Amino acid sequence: LSLKGSFENNEKQRKHNVCLVVAGWPSISLVTTQSHSSQHNLTRDNTISLVTTQSHSCPWCSAHKTSAMEAIKHAGTAPLLLALLCVCLLSCRAHAAVIYVSPDGSDAGAGTSSDPLASIEAAARRAERGDRVRLMRGDYDVTEECTFSGVELSGSGPDTVSIALRRPAGRLLFDQGGKLAYVSLSSENHGGLQFFGEGSVYSVNVTGAAGDCIYVALPPSGGGFNATVLNATNCYNGIFAEVVDDDQRWARGPALGATPSTLLLHNVQLSIMGKSAIEVHDIPRVRISDIESLYVQDFLVARISRTYSELPTGVLANASVNTTLGGIRLTGRAQKWTMSKVLLSTIEGWRDPGTTTPLLIAENAALQCTRVSIVRPISRGPCVALNSANFTAADSVIGGTKANHAISVSGLSVVVLSGCAIEHNEVEMGGCVVYCFDAAPSVYITDSLLAHNTAEYHTLFTCLKPQPAWQCTIDVWNTKLEDNTAEFGDPTDSMCDVTYH
Protein backbone atom coordinates (compact mmCIF):
# COMPACT_ATOMS: atom_id res chain seq x y z
CA LEU A 1 0.00 0.00 0.00
CA SER A 2 1.47 3.40 -0.97
CA LEU A 3 -0.02 6.81 -0.23
CA LYS A 4 1.48 10.16 -1.30
CA GLY A 5 0.74 13.75 -0.38
CA SER A 6 2.25 17.20 0.13
CA PHE A 7 2.81 18.61 3.58
CA GLU A 8 4.85 21.41 5.14
CA ASN A 9 7.64 20.45 7.49
CA ASN A 10 10.41 22.41 9.19
CA GLU A 11 12.47 19.39 10.16
CA LYS A 12 15.50 17.94 8.48
CA GLN A 13 15.39 15.19 5.91
CA ARG A 14 15.04 11.72 7.48
CA LYS A 15 13.95 8.12 6.91
CA HIS A 16 12.38 6.04 9.66
CA ASN A 17 10.75 2.65 10.19
CA VAL A 18 7.57 3.12 12.21
CA CYS A 19 5.77 0.16 13.77
CA LEU A 20 2.01 -0.02 14.11
CA VAL A 21 0.41 -2.93 16.00
CA VAL A 22 -3.17 -3.69 15.05
CA ALA A 23 -5.16 -6.04 17.28
CA GLY A 24 -5.47 -9.51 15.81
CA TRP A 25 -2.76 -8.92 13.16
CA PRO A 26 0.90 -9.81 12.94
CA SER A 27 3.17 -6.84 13.53
CA ILE A 28 2.94 -4.26 10.74
CA SER A 29 5.86 -2.05 9.82
CA LEU A 30 5.19 1.34 8.25
CA VAL A 31 8.30 2.36 6.35
CA THR A 32 8.17 6.13 5.86
CA THR A 33 10.40 8.08 3.50
CA GLN A 34 10.30 11.87 3.93
CA SER A 35 12.38 14.26 1.81
CA HIS A 36 12.49 18.04 1.29
CA SER A 37 14.95 20.86 0.62
CA SER A 38 17.11 22.51 3.27
CA GLN A 39 14.88 25.55 3.27
CA HIS A 40 12.10 25.77 5.80
CA ASN A 41 8.36 25.73 5.11
CA LEU A 42 8.70 24.07 1.71
CA THR A 43 6.56 21.20 0.52
CA ARG A 44 7.73 17.59 0.50
CA ASP A 45 6.57 14.16 -0.70
CA ASN A 46 5.67 11.53 1.88
CA THR A 47 5.66 7.87 0.84
CA ILE A 48 4.41 5.21 3.25
CA SER A 49 4.92 1.55 2.39
CA LEU A 50 3.26 -1.32 4.26
CA VAL A 51 5.32 -4.40 5.12
CA THR A 52 3.77 -7.34 7.01
CA THR A 53 6.17 -9.21 9.27
CA GLN A 54 5.84 -12.04 11.78
CA SER A 55 7.62 -10.23 14.60
CA HIS A 56 8.09 -6.71 15.92
CA SER A 57 11.51 -5.87 14.43
CA CYS A 58 11.57 -2.11 13.85
CA PRO A 59 15.22 -0.93 13.89
CA TRP A 60 14.28 2.49 15.27
CA CYS A 61 12.24 1.04 18.14
CA SER A 62 14.96 -1.45 18.99
CA ALA A 63 17.62 1.26 19.08
CA HIS A 64 15.64 3.69 21.19
CA LYS A 65 13.74 1.13 23.34
CA THR A 66 10.49 2.90 22.79
CA SER A 67 6.92 1.94 22.07
CA ALA A 68 5.23 1.84 18.68
CA MET A 69 3.16 4.93 19.48
CA GLU A 70 6.25 6.89 20.53
CA ALA A 71 7.90 5.83 17.27
CA ILE A 72 4.96 7.20 15.32
CA LYS A 73 5.18 10.50 17.17
CA HIS A 74 8.93 10.69 16.62
CA ALA A 75 8.55 10.19 12.89
CA GLY A 76 6.58 13.41 12.65
CA THR A 77 4.27 11.94 9.97
CA ALA A 78 1.01 13.73 9.46
CA PRO A 79 -1.60 12.33 11.91
CA LEU A 80 -4.30 12.52 9.26
CA LEU A 81 -2.33 10.31 6.89
CA LEU A 82 -1.73 7.68 9.59
CA ALA A 83 -5.37 7.74 10.60
CA LEU A 84 -6.48 7.19 7.02
CA LEU A 85 -4.01 4.32 6.70
CA CYS A 86 -5.29 2.61 9.86
CA VAL A 87 -8.88 2.91 8.66
CA CYS A 88 -7.90 1.37 5.33
CA LEU A 89 -6.14 -1.54 7.01
CA LEU A 90 -8.95 -2.32 9.43
CA SER A 91 -11.64 -1.91 6.80
CA CYS A 92 -9.87 -4.25 4.39
CA ARG A 93 -9.58 -7.02 7.00
CA ALA A 94 -13.00 -6.57 8.61
CA HIS A 95 -14.63 -8.40 5.70
CA ALA A 96 -13.61 -12.05 5.64
CA ALA A 97 -12.77 -13.43 2.25
CA VAL A 98 -14.75 -16.17 0.52
CA ILE A 99 -12.53 -18.51 -1.49
CA TYR A 100 -14.34 -20.63 -4.06
CA VAL A 101 -13.17 -24.08 -5.13
CA SER A 102 -14.51 -26.18 -8.00
CA PRO A 103 -13.34 -29.41 -9.67
CA ASP A 104 -13.44 -27.42 -12.93
CA GLY A 105 -11.32 -24.57 -11.56
CA SER A 106 -7.58 -23.85 -11.58
CA ASP A 107 -5.18 -23.48 -8.68
CA ALA A 108 -3.80 -20.44 -10.50
CA GLY A 109 -7.23 -18.82 -10.41
CA ALA A 110 -8.35 -15.88 -8.30
CA GLY A 111 -10.52 -18.01 -6.03
CA THR A 112 -13.69 -16.16 -6.95
CA SER A 113 -17.01 -17.72 -7.96
CA SER A 114 -16.23 -17.01 -11.60
CA ASP A 115 -12.56 -18.03 -11.36
CA PRO A 116 -12.40 -20.71 -8.63
CA LEU A 117 -9.47 -22.76 -7.43
CA ALA A 118 -9.33 -26.45 -8.27
CA SER A 119 -8.14 -28.07 -5.03
CA ILE A 120 -8.72 -27.91 -1.31
CA GLU A 121 -4.94 -27.88 -0.83
CA ALA A 122 -4.64 -24.60 -2.74
CA ALA A 123 -7.48 -23.07 -0.74
CA ALA A 124 -5.81 -24.07 2.53
CA ARG A 125 -2.62 -22.27 1.50
CA ARG A 126 -4.51 -19.06 0.70
CA ALA A 127 -7.09 -18.96 3.49
CA GLU A 128 -6.51 -16.84 6.58
CA ARG A 129 -8.29 -16.76 9.90
CA GLY A 130 -11.89 -15.64 9.48
CA ASP A 131 -12.10 -16.68 5.83
CA ARG A 132 -14.56 -19.14 4.34
CA VAL A 133 -13.68 -21.76 1.77
CA ARG A 134 -16.75 -22.62 -0.30
CA LEU A 135 -16.69 -25.96 -2.13
CA MET A 136 -18.85 -25.96 -5.22
CA ARG A 137 -20.69 -29.07 -6.38
CA GLY A 138 -18.44 -32.03 -7.15
CA ASP A 139 -15.93 -34.59 -5.83
CA TYR A 140 -12.58 -33.63 -4.28
CA ASP A 141 -9.49 -35.74 -3.59
CA VAL A 142 -7.13 -34.53 -0.87
CA THR A 143 -3.59 -35.96 -1.00
CA GLU A 144 -1.81 -33.50 1.32
CA GLU A 145 -2.26 -32.41 4.92
CA CYS A 146 -4.38 -29.24 4.93
CA THR A 147 -4.68 -26.97 7.97
CA PHE A 148 -7.56 -24.52 8.41
CA SER A 149 -6.91 -22.13 11.30
CA GLY A 150 -10.09 -20.26 12.16
CA VAL A 151 -11.40 -21.03 8.67
CA GLU A 152 -14.75 -22.53 7.65
CA LEU A 153 -14.63 -25.23 4.99
CA SER A 154 -18.14 -25.82 3.68
CA GLY A 155 -20.02 -27.17 0.70
CA SER A 156 -23.56 -26.90 -0.58
CA GLY A 157 -24.68 -30.14 1.09
CA PRO A 158 -23.55 -33.70 1.90
CA ASP A 159 -25.37 -34.96 -1.20
CA THR A 160 -23.59 -32.62 -3.60
CA VAL A 161 -20.05 -32.22 -2.22
CA SER A 162 -17.81 -35.21 -1.48
CA ILE A 163 -14.26 -35.18 -0.05
CA ALA A 164 -11.96 -38.23 -0.19
CA LEU A 165 -8.83 -38.16 1.99
CA ARG A 166 -6.36 -40.27 0.02
CA ARG A 167 -3.28 -42.20 1.10
CA PRO A 168 -0.74 -41.53 2.35
CA ALA A 169 -1.09 -37.97 3.66
CA GLY A 170 -4.57 -36.68 2.88
CA ARG A 171 -5.86 -35.07 6.08
CA LEU A 172 -7.97 -32.10 7.17
CA LEU A 173 -6.82 -30.31 10.35
CA PHE A 174 -8.84 -27.55 12.02
CA ASP A 175 -7.82 -25.30 14.90
CA GLN A 176 -8.60 -21.85 16.35
CA GLY A 177 -12.31 -22.40 15.81
CA GLY A 178 -12.19 -23.98 12.36
CA LYS A 179 -15.43 -25.46 11.02
CA LEU A 180 -16.44 -28.19 8.57
CA ALA A 181 -19.99 -28.09 7.20
CA TYR A 182 -22.33 -29.41 4.50
CA VAL A 183 -20.07 -32.10 3.00
CA SER A 184 -19.68 -35.86 2.88
CA LEU A 185 -16.28 -37.34 3.61
CA SER A 186 -14.30 -40.59 3.52
CA SER A 187 -10.77 -41.25 4.73
CA GLU A 188 -8.14 -43.82 3.80
CA ASN A 189 -5.84 -42.56 6.57
CA HIS A 190 -5.76 -42.74 10.34
CA GLY A 191 -6.54 -39.32 11.81
CA GLY A 192 -7.99 -38.06 8.56
CA LEU A 193 -10.22 -35.45 10.24
CA GLN A 194 -8.77 -33.66 13.29
CA PHE A 195 -9.78 -30.71 15.47
CA PHE A 196 -7.58 -28.88 17.97
CA GLY A 197 -8.58 -26.48 20.75
CA GLU A 198 -11.85 -25.26 19.30
CA GLY A 199 -13.87 -26.39 16.33
CA SER A 200 -17.21 -27.58 15.05
CA VAL A 201 -18.90 -29.89 12.55
CA TYR A 202 -22.33 -29.25 11.08
CA SER A 203 -24.29 -31.41 8.64
CA VAL A 204 -21.47 -33.77 7.71
CA ASN A 205 -21.66 -37.40 6.54
CA VAL A 206 -18.64 -39.64 7.07
CA THR A 207 -19.06 -42.80 5.04
CA GLY A 208 -15.86 -44.64 5.88
CA ALA A 209 -12.65 -44.04 7.85
CA ALA A 210 -9.62 -46.28 8.37
CA GLY A 211 -9.16 -44.81 11.86
CA ASP A 212 -11.19 -42.36 13.93
CA CYS A 213 -14.13 -40.71 12.23
CA ILE A 214 -13.12 -37.52 14.09
CA TYR A 215 -10.16 -36.94 16.38
CA VAL A 216 -10.49 -34.06 18.88
CA ALA A 217 -7.68 -32.66 21.08
CA LEU A 218 -8.68 -30.11 23.72
CA PRO A 219 -6.77 -28.22 26.42
CA PRO A 220 -7.85 -28.86 30.04
CA SER A 221 -9.81 -25.59 30.01
CA GLY A 222 -11.09 -23.02 27.56
CA GLY A 223 -11.54 -25.33 24.57
CA GLY A 224 -14.58 -26.87 22.98
CA PHE A 225 -15.80 -29.04 20.12
CA ASN A 226 -19.35 -29.16 18.81
CA ALA A 227 -20.77 -31.70 16.35
CA THR A 228 -24.35 -31.20 15.16
CA VAL A 229 -26.14 -33.23 12.49
CA LEU A 230 -23.33 -35.74 12.07
CA ASN A 231 -23.90 -39.09 10.39
CA ALA A 232 -20.97 -41.52 10.45
CA THR A 233 -20.86 -45.15 9.41
CA ASN A 234 -18.32 -47.87 8.67
CA CYS A 235 -15.41 -46.40 10.65
CA TYR A 236 -12.91 -48.15 12.90
CA ASN A 237 -13.66 -45.68 15.69
CA GLY A 238 -16.27 -42.96 15.93
CA ILE A 239 -15.36 -39.80 17.83
CA PHE A 240 -12.17 -39.94 19.88
CA ALA A 241 -11.61 -36.90 22.13
CA GLU A 242 -8.88 -36.30 24.67
CA VAL A 243 -7.27 -33.56 26.71
CA VAL A 244 -3.75 -32.57 25.64
CA ASP A 245 -1.79 -30.32 27.99
CA ASP A 246 0.76 -28.74 25.66
CA ASP A 247 0.29 -28.14 21.99
CA GLN A 248 1.74 -25.46 19.74
CA ARG A 249 -1.77 -24.74 18.50
CA TRP A 250 -2.83 -23.47 21.93
CA ALA A 251 0.00 -20.91 21.87
CA ARG A 252 -0.64 -19.49 18.41
CA GLY A 253 -4.43 -19.45 18.67
CA PRO A 254 -6.70 -17.06 20.56
CA ALA A 255 -6.45 -16.91 24.34
CA LEU A 256 -8.26 -19.82 26.00
CA GLY A 257 -10.59 -19.19 28.93
CA ALA A 258 -10.68 -20.71 32.39
CA THR A 259 -13.89 -22.70 31.97
CA PRO A 260 -13.54 -26.47 31.57
CA SER A 261 -13.25 -27.72 28.01
CA THR A 262 -16.48 -29.15 26.61
CA LEU A 263 -17.45 -31.80 24.08
CA LEU A 264 -20.94 -31.28 22.64
CA LEU A 265 -22.64 -33.84 20.38
CA HIS A 266 -26.19 -33.24 19.17
CA ASN A 267 -28.32 -35.00 16.56
CA VAL A 268 -25.69 -37.61 15.77
CA GLN A 269 -25.88 -41.06 14.16
CA LEU A 270 -22.92 -43.42 14.60
CA SER A 271 -23.22 -46.91 13.08
CA ILE A 272 -21.06 -49.89 12.17
CA MET A 273 -17.96 -49.06 14.19
CA GLY A 274 -15.16 -51.56 14.63
CA LYS A 275 -14.53 -50.29 18.15
CA SER A 276 -16.18 -47.47 20.12
CA ALA A 277 -18.75 -45.00 18.85
CA ILE A 278 -17.58 -42.33 21.32
CA GLU A 279 -14.40 -42.44 23.40
CA VAL A 280 -13.40 -39.55 25.65
CA HIS A 281 -10.32 -39.29 27.86
CA ASP A 282 -10.15 -36.65 30.60
CA ILE A 283 -12.76 -34.37 29.03
CA PRO A 284 -14.21 -32.41 32.00
CA ARG A 285 -17.58 -31.63 30.34
CA VAL A 286 -19.42 -33.96 27.94
CA ARG A 287 -22.93 -33.32 26.59
CA ILE A 288 -24.54 -35.88 24.26
CA SER A 289 -28.15 -35.61 23.07
CA ASP A 290 -30.40 -36.95 20.34
CA ILE A 291 -28.08 -39.73 19.31
CA GLU A 292 -28.60 -43.08 17.60
CA SER A 293 -25.97 -45.79 17.47
CA LEU A 294 -26.21 -49.23 15.86
CA TYR A 295 -23.74 -52.08 15.36
CA VAL A 296 -20.94 -50.65 17.49
CA GLN A 297 -18.70 -52.70 19.77
CA ASP A 298 -18.97 -50.16 22.61
CA PHE A 299 -21.12 -47.07 22.58
CA LEU A 300 -19.44 -44.75 25.10
CA VAL A 301 -16.09 -45.06 26.88
CA ALA A 302 -15.37 -42.21 29.32
CA ARG A 303 -12.14 -42.38 31.29
CA ILE A 304 -10.83 -39.86 33.81
CA SER A 305 -7.17 -40.16 34.80
CA ARG A 306 -6.38 -36.63 36.02
CA THR A 307 -7.59 -34.57 38.95
CA TYR A 308 -9.78 -31.52 38.32
CA SER A 309 -10.82 -28.84 40.79
CA GLU A 310 -14.42 -29.56 39.79
CA LEU A 311 -15.93 -33.01 39.36
CA PRO A 312 -16.04 -33.97 35.66
CA THR A 313 -19.63 -34.32 34.47
CA GLY A 314 -21.47 -35.85 31.56
CA VAL A 315 -25.00 -35.77 30.19
CA LEU A 316 -26.57 -38.37 27.91
CA ALA A 317 -30.13 -37.68 26.76
CA ASN A 318 -32.47 -39.05 24.10
CA ALA A 319 -30.26 -41.93 23.00
CA SER A 320 -31.05 -45.19 21.25
CA VAL A 321 -28.11 -47.60 21.33
CA ASN A 322 -27.75 -51.15 20.03
CA THR A 323 -24.28 -52.62 20.49
CA THR A 324 -22.59 -55.85 19.47
CA LEU A 325 -20.67 -56.27 22.75
CA GLY A 326 -20.66 -53.63 25.50
CA GLY A 327 -22.46 -50.37 26.04
CA ILE A 328 -21.23 -47.66 28.40
CA ARG A 329 -17.95 -47.76 30.35
CA LEU A 330 -17.20 -45.09 32.96
CA THR A 331 -13.77 -45.76 34.45
CA GLY A 332 -10.84 -44.13 36.23
CA ARG A 333 -11.21 -41.30 38.72
CA ALA A 334 -14.50 -39.90 39.97
CA GLN A 335 -17.00 -38.52 37.47
CA LYS A 336 -20.72 -37.78 37.50
CA TRP A 337 -23.20 -38.62 34.74
CA THR A 338 -26.86 -37.87 34.22
CA MET A 339 -28.78 -40.05 31.77
CA SER A 340 -32.38 -39.65 30.64
CA LYS A 341 -34.51 -41.30 27.96
CA VAL A 342 -31.84 -43.82 27.01
CA LEU A 343 -32.32 -47.26 25.45
CA LEU A 344 -29.22 -49.44 25.81
CA SER A 345 -29.24 -52.99 24.49
CA THR A 346 -27.32 -55.54 22.45
CA ILE A 347 -28.36 -56.85 19.06
CA GLU A 348 -30.02 -60.25 18.91
CA GLY A 349 -27.87 -62.89 17.29
CA TRP A 350 -24.54 -61.22 18.19
CA ARG A 351 -24.18 -62.88 21.57
CA ASP A 352 -21.02 -64.84 22.25
CA PRO A 353 -21.81 -67.59 24.80
CA GLY A 354 -18.44 -67.11 26.47
CA THR A 355 -18.69 -63.33 26.87
CA THR A 356 -19.51 -61.69 30.21
CA THR A 357 -19.40 -58.03 29.19
CA PRO A 358 -21.90 -55.82 31.07
CA LEU A 359 -23.97 -53.24 29.25
CA LEU A 360 -23.08 -50.51 31.73
CA ILE A 361 -19.86 -50.40 33.75
CA ALA A 362 -19.36 -47.68 36.35
CA GLU A 363 -16.20 -47.35 38.42
CA ASN A 364 -15.81 -44.53 40.94
CA ALA A 365 -18.73 -42.82 39.24
CA ALA A 366 -22.07 -41.37 40.21
CA LEU A 367 -24.96 -42.09 37.85
CA GLN A 368 -28.42 -40.62 37.97
CA CYS A 369 -30.76 -42.29 35.48
CA THR A 370 -34.34 -41.38 34.57
CA ARG A 371 -36.46 -43.34 32.10
CA VAL A 372 -33.55 -45.53 31.10
CA SER A 373 -33.84 -49.07 29.68
CA ILE A 374 -30.79 -51.31 30.09
CA VAL A 375 -31.84 -54.64 28.62
CA ARG A 376 -30.64 -57.75 26.84
CA PRO A 377 -26.88 -57.81 27.59
CA ILE A 378 -24.39 -60.21 26.03
CA SER A 379 -25.12 -63.83 26.95
CA ARG A 380 -23.36 -64.18 30.29
CA GLY A 381 -22.99 -60.52 31.22
CA PRO A 382 -24.98 -58.49 33.77
CA CYS A 383 -26.95 -55.41 32.79
CA VAL A 384 -25.13 -53.13 35.21
CA ALA A 385 -21.75 -53.64 36.92
CA LEU A 386 -20.80 -51.21 39.70
CA ASN A 387 -17.47 -50.83 41.48
CA SER A 388 -17.47 -48.21 44.25
CA ALA A 389 -20.15 -46.32 42.39
CA ASN A 390 -23.45 -44.64 43.21
CA PHE A 391 -26.28 -45.72 40.94
CA THR A 392 -29.70 -44.09 41.09
CA ALA A 393 -32.46 -45.07 38.69
CA ALA A 394 -36.05 -43.85 38.45
CA ASP A 395 -38.83 -45.02 36.13
CA SER A 396 -36.39 -47.36 34.42
CA VAL A 397 -36.21 -50.96 33.19
CA ILE A 398 -33.28 -53.29 33.87
CA GLY A 399 -33.31 -56.90 32.76
CA GLY A 400 -33.24 -59.53 30.08
CA THR A 401 -30.07 -61.28 31.23
CA LYS A 402 -29.30 -64.85 30.19
CA ALA A 403 -27.28 -66.51 32.96
CA ASN A 404 -26.33 -63.44 34.98
CA HIS A 405 -27.59 -60.74 37.32
CA ALA A 406 -29.45 -57.54 36.66
CA ILE A 407 -27.05 -55.53 38.86
CA SER A 408 -23.62 -56.70 39.96
CA VAL A 409 -22.01 -54.72 42.79
CA SER A 410 -18.51 -54.57 44.26
CA GLY A 411 -16.80 -52.08 46.54
CA LEU A 412 -18.61 -49.51 48.67
CA SER A 413 -21.46 -48.80 46.29
CA VAL A 414 -24.94 -47.39 46.78
CA VAL A 415 -27.89 -48.53 44.66
CA VAL A 416 -31.23 -46.68 44.74
CA LEU A 417 -34.10 -47.88 42.52
CA SER A 418 -37.40 -46.02 42.44
CA GLY A 419 -40.32 -46.90 40.24
CA CYS A 420 -38.20 -49.42 38.32
CA ALA A 421 -38.91 -52.80 36.77
CA ILE A 422 -36.25 -55.50 37.31
CA GLU A 423 -37.51 -58.39 35.24
CA HIS A 424 -36.77 -61.33 32.96
CA ASN A 425 -33.38 -62.15 34.44
CA GLU A 426 -32.02 -65.71 34.51
CA VAL A 427 -29.11 -66.91 36.67
CA GLU A 428 -27.65 -70.32 37.34
CA MET A 429 -27.16 -69.77 41.07
CA GLY A 430 -28.84 -66.80 42.71
CA GLY A 431 -29.03 -63.03 42.86
CA CYS A 432 -31.31 -62.30 39.95
CA VAL A 433 -31.85 -58.69 41.00
CA VAL A 434 -28.68 -57.73 42.90
CA TYR A 435 -25.51 -59.74 43.32
CA CYS A 436 -22.85 -58.38 45.69
CA PHE A 437 -19.32 -59.70 46.03
CA ASP A 438 -16.31 -58.33 47.90
CA ALA A 439 -18.64 -55.54 48.87
CA ALA A 440 -20.67 -53.92 51.59
CA PRO A 441 -23.21 -52.04 49.50
CA SER A 442 -26.37 -50.26 50.46
CA VAL A 443 -29.35 -51.14 48.27
CA TYR A 444 -32.72 -49.36 48.46
CA ILE A 445 -35.65 -50.37 46.26
CA THR A 446 -38.96 -48.56 46.43
CA ASP A 447 -42.23 -48.54 44.46
CA SER A 448 -40.80 -51.01 41.96
CA LEU A 449 -41.58 -54.34 40.28
CA LEU A 450 -39.43 -57.48 40.59
CA ALA A 451 -40.96 -59.92 38.13
CA HIS A 452 -40.28 -62.98 35.96
CA ASN A 453 -36.84 -63.62 37.41
CA THR A 454 -35.57 -67.21 37.44
CA ALA A 455 -32.80 -68.68 39.62
CA GLU A 456 -31.55 -72.17 40.21
CA TYR A 457 -31.37 -71.49 43.93
CA HIS A 458 -34.13 -69.51 45.65
CA THR A 459 -32.68 -66.02 45.72
CA LEU A 460 -33.44 -62.61 44.34
CA PHE A 461 -30.52 -61.12 46.27
CA THR A 462 -27.10 -62.58 46.99
CA CYS A 463 -24.33 -61.02 49.05
CA LEU A 464 -21.02 -62.83 49.39
CA LYS A 465 -19.06 -61.39 52.30
CA PRO A 466 -15.38 -62.30 52.41
CA GLN A 467 -15.10 -60.77 55.90
CA PRO A 468 -17.69 -61.26 58.65
CA ALA A 469 -17.38 -57.61 59.63
CA TRP A 470 -18.72 -56.49 56.25
CA GLN A 471 -22.43 -55.93 56.21
CA CYS A 472 -24.74 -55.66 53.21
CA THR A 473 -27.86 -53.54 53.64
CA ILE A 474 -30.85 -54.23 51.38
CA ASP A 475 -34.20 -52.54 52.01
CA VAL A 476 -37.24 -53.12 49.79
CA TRP A 477 -40.19 -50.74 50.17
CA ASN A 478 -43.66 -50.96 48.65
CA THR A 479 -42.43 -53.21 45.84
CA LYS A 480 -44.37 -55.91 44.02
CA LEU A 481 -42.87 -59.40 43.56
CA GLU A 482 -44.47 -61.26 40.68
CA ASP A 483 -43.84 -64.66 39.00
CA ASN A 484 -40.32 -65.13 40.32
CA THR A 485 -39.34 -68.81 40.23
CA ALA A 486 -36.59 -71.01 41.61
CA GLU A 487 -35.71 -74.62 40.94
CA PHE A 488 -34.83 -75.15 44.58
CA GLY A 489 -36.42 -73.25 47.46
CA ASP A 490 -38.53 -70.14 47.86
CA PRO A 491 -37.63 -67.51 45.23
CA THR A 492 -38.15 -64.71 47.76
CA ASP A 493 -35.49 -66.07 50.10
CA SER A 494 -32.11 -64.45 49.84
CA MET A 495 -28.54 -65.30 50.74
CA CYS A 496 -28.22 -62.04 52.66
CA ASP A 497 -30.25 -59.87 55.03
CA VAL A 498 -33.14 -58.30 53.17
CA THR A 499 -35.87 -56.27 54.84
CA TYR A 500 -39.22 -56.01 53.07
CA HIS A 501 -41.37 -53.04 54.09
Side-chain angles (χ1 to χ4, degrees), residues 144-462:
E144 302 175 8
E145 184 174 282
C146 302
T147 299
F148 296 92
S149 297
V151 175
E152 175 183 325
L153 176 64
S154 62
S156 55
D159 298 332
T160 59
V161 175
S162 175
I163 302 174
L165 307 179
R166 301 299 186 186
R167 292 189 181 97
R171 291 178 176 85
L172 299 180
L173 279 59
F174 296 82
D175 61 7
Q176 302 183 38
K179 179 179 180 180
L180 178 67
Y182 301 108
V183 300
S184 64
L185 182 141
S186 63
S187 175
E188 299 176 353
N189 302 310
H190 291 276
L193 183 57
Q194 303 182 32
F195 289 83
F196 297 88
E198 290 183 292
S200 63
V201 165
Y202 185 85
S203 190
V204 172
N205 293 345
V206 180
T207 56
D212 301 326
C213 165
I214 299 176
Y215 171 78
V216 179
L218 300 177
S221 62
F225 175 78
N226 179 11
T228 305
V229 193
L230 170 67
N231 185 0
T233 184
N234 197 26
C235 304
Y236 175 72
N237 215 34
I239 299 172
F240 185 93
E242 64 178 344
V243 161
V244 178
D245 284 308
D246 298 316
D247 193 289
Q248 60 179 352
R249 297 173 180 83
W250 309 162
R252 74 166 185 255
L256 297 172
T259 59
S261 290
T262 303
L263 176 70
L264 301 175
L265 307 177
H266 176 70
N267 196 1
V268 174
Q269 293 182 339
L270 302 172
S271 304
I272 314 179
M273 302 292 168
K275 195 180 176 185
S276 303
I278 303 170
E279 188 166 349
V280 293
H281 292 179
D282 294 324
I283 304 296
R285 296 289 183 269
V286 179
R287 304 289 184 267
I288 305 171
S289 61
D290 297 311
I291 185 168
E292 183 178 357
S293 188
L294 179 67
Y295 287 100
V296 296
Q297 181 171 304
D298 288 307
F299 167 62
L300 171 64
V301 178
R303 185 184 70 189
I304 301 295
S305 60
R306 64 175 65 215
T307 301
Y308 287 100
S309 58
E310 299 180 11
L311 187 68
T313 61
V315 175
L316 175 62
N318 300 328
S320 177
V321 179
N322 288 286
T323 73
T324 60
L325 183 61
I328 298 175
R329 303 169 182 263
L330 310 176
T331 63
R333 295 180 180 270
Q335 54 184 310
K336 180 180 179 180
W337 278 79
T338 301
M339 302 182 185
S340 63
K341 299 181 181 179
V342 176
L343 170 62
L344 181 61
S345 66
T346 54
I347 299 171
E348 291 284 3
W350 283 76
R351 294 175 176 173
D352 180 356
T355 303
T356 58
T357 304
L359 270 175
L360 190 152
I361 299 175
E363 173 186 308
N364 299 320
L367 283 82
Q368 184 174 350
C369 302
T370 304
R371 298 178 65 183
V372 171
S373 295
I374 306 173
V375 296
R376 204 171 65 243
I378 289 294
S379 183
R380 301 184 63 85
C383 289
V384 178
L386 307 175
N387 182 11
S388 299
N390 294 339
F391 178 75
T392 301
D395 302 323
S396 299
V397 178
I398 303 173
T401 63
K402 304 292 183 181
N404 215 305
H405 324 282
I407 302 175
S408 177
V409 182
S410 64
L412 298 175
S413 299
V414 177
V415 178
V416 179
L417 306 177
S418 175
C420 295
I422 313 298
E423 54 187 359
H424 298 288
N425 299 289
E426 300 177 7
V427 295
E428 294 178 357
M429 298 297 290
C432 289
V433 177
V434 176
Y435 178 81
C436 307
F437 62 98
D438 293 338
S442 298
V443 180
Y444 304 93
I445 302 175
T446 180
D447 299 312
S448 297
L449 172 66
L450 310 181
H452 309 292
N453 298 292
T454 302
E456 184 176 356
Y457 292 99
H458 66 159
T459 81
L460 291 176
F461 304 95
T462 296

Side-chain angles (χ1 to χ4, degrees), residues 100-111 115-126 140 144:
Y100 288 86
V101 184
S102 171
D104 300 326
S106 170
D107 284 346
D115 187 18
L117 303 178
S119 68
I120 294 176
E121 291 92 331
R125 289 190 288 267
R126 292 198 190 184
Y140 298 87
E144 302 175 8

Side-chain angles (χ1 to χ4, degrees), residues 112-133:
T112 62
S113 58
S114 58
D115 187 18
L117 303 178
S119 68
I120 294 176
E121 291 92 331
R125 289 190 288 267
R126 292 198 190 184
E128 300 180 12
R129 178 175 174 81
D131 289 347
R132 178 185 176 188
V133 175

